[in-house]
Amino acid sequence: MDMAAQHPTAALLLCEVVMEILSWVPAKPVTRLKLVCKSWNSIISHPHFVKLHLHRSPKNAILLFTRAQALTLGEEEKQSLVLTTVESFIQNPSSSLDAQENRHSLHVEDWVSGSCNGLVCVADILFHSNDDICDIWFRLWNPLTGFVSVNTPCLRANVHNSFGFGYDESSDSYKVVTVIPDSSGTVTAHVYSFRDGSWKTINSLPAFLFYAEDNNGHFIGGTLNWLGLRNPRGDDYDWADVTLDMLMIVSFDLKSDTHKQILLPKGIDEMPREEPILGVWGNRLYLLHDYKNTHFIAWQMKEFGDENSWTQLLKISFHHLGVETLFPEFIFENGNIFMLRGRHCFEEVFYDRRDNSVKRINNLANNSYFIAFDYVESLVQPC
């Protein structure tokens, strides 16, 4: 009788021990462990375990969204998503991109709008041929588990829009934000909650225009962040006419559906020749730009939201990098390794500021390009 009375407690303790051990197992093998027995499947599928496992997962992978161009006349354009570790990609980018076992096919109309907690937000875009209008549907996809959400209701927008995808911890909800400026410069944000299954329209955003090649909103600290212009007077502008006081960072809070402005680093004393790049890598906000078209400068916000924490992380000459022009693409190893696109659009330049070394690789000889995102494998499958 004593043993019977103690059995529920012993079973509970055993369950907690198993959960603790399994929470440290990498995501891919732990999915296979669901087949061991019913109790393990129940543990691994439990929302508490999924969150615990995500919290303990190493942040050592990146998501590479690639679009391979047609190589011969009549060949269809193909898109795919490739997952690879940071270490593998730095050592051999070409092999990482070409590895079939890490490749997932996408539709030609698909566009990856962001990655968060192991989920990829994919936009399916249908362009109208007669005007600047498009129809957009979004879905969530977990490449590891194969989970795919139902599509959002269709959002009709003009083609000059920008996406952002992130997680609102306060409501345990994944959200996508589509920001749409009209021809007069008025900006409207449309927010979709995958938990609530509904769109919400947020008006009265500051008049700003997204101009970067990668116009996705950057997720950090429960917010989505874009770099843009104040009072652009429409969706067309001449960069030569832009002044420093027009540049701004807009931060959209997913919890409150409000926005605020984040000031640029005080050390920027003249306009870059080319349009700056905003990015989030390793849970830090970065601002990257050229100086007089002769140097590359990288700023890091050490404490997100604290404008006084902007720090100039790097200033290096194009001559040292062996390029005439460049385009920043990704940052690895806690802001120590910069990946840049070089003189030719298929040439990648890796700069390691720890030893001042430069490595150039012509890794995209198959005539393709890619956009990189932070990514971590997870078991997340939101309702």
Side-chain angles (χ1 to χ4, degrees), residues 152-297:
T152 66
C154 176
L155 177 67
R156 178 155 291 188
N158 69 47
V159 296
H160 303 287
N161 57 65
S162 178
F163 311 136
F165 171 62
Y167 176 63
D168 175 12
E169 186 175 7
S170 66
S171 63
D172 191 25
S173 175
Y174 290 89
K175 297 180 178 180
V176 62
V177 179
T178 303
V179 184
I180 308 171
D182 63 23
S183 59
S184 68
T186 302
V187 180
T188 303
H190 299 270
V191 183
Y192 184 84
S193 167
F194 285 92
R195 181 182 182 89
D196 300 334
S198 60
W199 283 103
K200 180 190 297 185
T201 300
I202 309 296
N203 296 310
S204 303
L205 269 71
F208 60 98
L209 181 68
F210 310 109
Y211 50 78
E213 180 173 322
D214 170 16
N215 65 346
N216 290 311
H218 300 280
F219 177 70
I220 182 174
T223 68
L224 289 167
N225 300 268
W226 289 269
L227 182 64
L229 301 177
R230 191 194 324 269
N231 301 321
R233 296 182 298 276
D235 56 13
D236 189 22
Y237 67 95
D238 188 339
W239 181 251
D241 297 331
V242 176
T243 57
L244 273 178
D245 63 326
M246 294 174 64
L247 286 173
M248 62 187 300
I249 297 173
V250 174
S251 184
F252 188 90
D253 192 311
L254 293 175
K255 177 182 178 180
S256 61
D257 290 332
T258 59
H259 59 83
K260 68 176 182 179
Q261 177 183 349
I262 295 179
L263 298 178
L264 271 59
K266 297 177 182 179
I268 300 179
D269 56 5
E270 76 171 58
M271 281 295 298
R273 298 287 181 91
E274 302 293 334
E275 296 161 345
I277 301 295
L278 187 71
V280 171
W281 299 282
N283 205 33
R284 295 285 175 86
L285 188 68
Y286 289 82
L287 181 67
L288 314 174
H289 64 90
D290 76 277
Y291 178 72
K292 297 183 181 298
N293 210 27
T294 61
H295 287 73
F296 168 65
I297 295 181

Side-chain angles (χ1 to χ4, degrees), residues 47-64:
H48 173 73
F49 177 83
V50 171
K51 290 185 177 182
L52 177 64
H53 186 272
L54 176 65
H55 176 72
R56 291 176 171 176
S57 295
K59 308 300 187 290
N60 63 345
I62 60 174
L63 168 68
L64 295 176

Side-chain angles (χ1 to χ4, degrees), residues 317-335:
S317 70
F318 288 3
H319 176 74
H320 181 83
L321 295 172
V323 300
E324 296 174 0
T325 59
L326 56 78
F327 179 81
E329 290 188 309
F330 212 72
I331 299 176
F332 308 101
E333 301 296 335
N334 298 317

Side-chain angles (χ1 to χ4, degrees), residues 88-89 91-99 103 361-365:
S88 297
F89 182 74
Q91 291 173 8
N92 197 328
S94 296
S95 295
S96 298
L97 289 172
D98 294 337
R103 185 178 295 271
I361 300 176
N362 187 17
N363 70 310
L364 297 181

